[in-house]
Amino acid sequence: MFKLGEIVWRSILPRIISVLFAGLWSLAPLGLTIGASPSQASSPQDEGYEYIVDAEDGTLYFAKVETKIAGTVVIKMRVINDPDTEDKDYTMIKAFKCRERLVKGDGQWNPVKKSSVGAYMLDFGC
């Protein structure tokens, strides 16, 4: 014999299931859109980066200033679609001396080459 609670539950359960399925189907297009490009879960602009330049090989460079102190600027770069690396979307941080046009690399300050990505970053940050 059914108890009163079981009878009520059995009569409500089909309605709950139909509402849940209707809700899930309404979210299906959103899920397909998000699932289509999992590597681009967030765009650089959404994270505060600004477009800087794209290289001849198709690599895209975005940047944002992390800090600026006494003529030295620290820039966080987001690199996308770099054919020279396995990781096609990565970030790196570089320090630049604005007046001297130097970049910190390998533990020492080096001149920034003209027409290089570093020159674009230096112009952006300084």
PDB file of all heavy atoms in Angstrom, residues 9 21 107:
ATOM      1  N   TRP A   9       4.634  12.405  -3.958  1.00  0.00           N
ATOM      2  CA  TRP A   9       5.935  12.427  -4.623  1.00  0.00           C
ATOM      3  C   TRP A   9       5.835  11.862  -6.029  1.00  0.00           C
ATOM      4  O   TRP A   9       6.381  12.398  -6.970  1.00  0.00           O
ATOM      5  CB  TRP A   9       6.941  11.652  -3.782  1.00  0.00           C
ATOM      6  CG  TRP A   9       8.312  11.648  -4.379  1.00  0.00           C
ATOM      7  CD1 TRP A   9       8.966  10.593  -4.903  1.00  0.00           C
ATOM      8  CD2 TRP A   9       9.196  12.761  -4.541  1.00  0.00           C
ATOM      9  NE1 TRP A   9      10.191  10.962  -5.369  1.00  0.00           N
ATOM     10  CE2 TRP A   9      10.360  12.309  -5.154  1.00  0.00           C
ATOM     11  CE3 TRP A   9       9.107  14.116  -4.212  1.00  0.00           C
ATOM     12  CZ2 TRP A   9      11.424  13.123  -5.460  1.00  0.00           C
ATOM     13  CZ3 TRP A   9      10.180  14.935  -4.516  1.00  0.00           C
ATOM     14  CH2 TRP A   9      11.311  14.443  -5.129  1.00  0.00           C
ATOM     15  N   PHE A  21      14.322  19.073 -17.634  1.00  0.00           N
ATOM     16  CA  PHE A  21      14.750  18.855 -19.012  1.00  0.00           C
ATOM     17  C   PHE A  21      14.529  20.092 -19.866  1.00  0.00           C
ATOM     18  O   PHE A  21      15.371  20.434 -20.694  1.00  0.00           O
ATOM     19  CB  PHE A  21      14.034  17.652 -19.623  1.00  0.00           C
ATOM     20  CG  PHE A  21      14.681  16.346 -19.294  1.00  0.00           C
ATOM     21  CD1 PHE A  21      13.988  15.383 -18.588  1.00  0.00           C
ATOM     22  CD2 PHE A  21      15.984  16.088 -19.666  1.00  0.00           C
ATOM     23  CE1 PHE A  21      14.578  14.183 -18.269  1.00  0.00           C
ATOM     24  CE2 PHE A  21      16.589  14.881 -19.346  1.00  0.00           C
ATOM     25  CZ  PHE A  21      15.885  13.933 -18.643  1.00  0.00           C
ATOM     26  N   GLY A 107      69.016  37.733 -16.413  1.00  0.00           N
ATOM     27  CA  GLY A 107      69.651  38.339 -15.247  1.00  0.00           C
ATOM     28  C   GLY A 107      70.363  39.649 -15.502  1.00  0.00           C
ATOM     29  O   GLY A 107      70.996  40.191 -14.603  1.00  0.00           O
TER      30      GLY A 107
END
